[in-house]
Amino acid sequence: MPKTKHTKTDRGQTLLRRPAGASLADICKATGWQQHSARAALSMLRKKGATIERRASDKPGAPATYHLVAEAEAQA
């Protein structure tokens, strides 16, 4: 079996698929990216056709979370 390549973007998508979603800090910690790079990755996923929802926290001071709602049917 050939090994599959797991990119940082793949790690971010895995976090976004969790029921709890992922905060920007979670994505940064998992990938080693800075906040602006994590936001750019979210933007690129949207451009590829993924639907990403931002949900504000119910708790004061807690970060918002991002959730992957739907993906493009065919990704290159």
Side-chain angles (χ1 to χ4, degrees), residues 2-8 10:
K3 289 186 177 182
T4 58
K5 185 177 179 182
H6 295 287
T7 64
K8 290 181 180 183
D10 291 338

Side-chain angles (χ1 to χ4, degrees), residues 12-37:
Q13 286 180 356
T14 300
L15 291 174
L16 295 171
R17 285 186 188 103
R18 298 183 309 182
S23 68
L24 198 58
D26 292 337
I27 296 168
C28 291
K29 184 176 179 180
T31 60
W33 289 333
Q34 293 182 5
Q35 288 185 1
H36 65 275
S37 299

Side-chain angles (χ1 to χ4, degrees), residues 8-9 15-16 20 26 33 39 45 52-53 66-69 71 75:
K8 290 181 180 183
T9 304
L15 291 174
L16 295 171
D26 292 337
W33 289 333
R39 282 190 216 96
L45 286 172
I52 299 173
E53 185 177 274
Y66 296 88
H67 302 264
L68 190 60
V69 178
E71 293 185 70
Q75 289 186 352

